[in-house]
């Protein structure tokens, strides 16, 4: 859908945890999200930390909207992620322990 909006002259931003896939499909402005289950938040952070994370994602999306691009471009916000995946996530194992950490 983002590509169709772009063709109509409306700049769009796609926020996703699957940025490489979005790039391969041709989305022009891609903002890296947190995790597939929570692309725009992290329930394992404190309320204040999650608010800051969400603010950074939205600010990055606004910057991406204002940036002229010639094709798929990934914008990565500088955010703190807890590194915790929900227990239902296939990669988290039985304990739901941290399996990855992204700090910028």
């Amino acid at each position: 859908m983002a590509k169709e909006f772009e063709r109509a002259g409306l700049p769009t931003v796609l926020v996703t945890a699957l940025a490489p896939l979005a790039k391969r499909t041709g989305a022009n402005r891609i903002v890296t999200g947190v995790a597939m289950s929570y692309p725009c938040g992290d329930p394992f952070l404190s309320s204040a930390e999650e608010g800051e994370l969400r603010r950074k994602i939205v600010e990055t999306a606004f910057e991406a909207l204002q940036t002229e691009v010639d094709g798929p471009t990934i914008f990565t916000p500088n955010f703190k992620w807890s590194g915790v995946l929900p227990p239902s996530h296939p990669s988290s194992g039985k304990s739901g322990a941290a399996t990855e950490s992204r700090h910028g």
Side-chain angles (χ1 to χ4, degrees), residues 17-18 33-44 81 84-90:
L18 301 172
V34 180
M36 202 150 88
S37 301
Y38 310 104
C40 294
D42 185 343
F44 302 101
W81 178 44
V84 177
L85 295 171
S88 61
H89 191 281

Side-chain angles (χ1 to χ4, degrees), residues 1 5-6 20-21 27 31 52-53 62 64-65 67 103:
M1 188 163 34
F5 282 126
E6 291 276 348
L21 178 62
V31 173
E52 178 69 13
L53 179 150
F62 283 138
L65 276 175
T67 303
H103 298 279

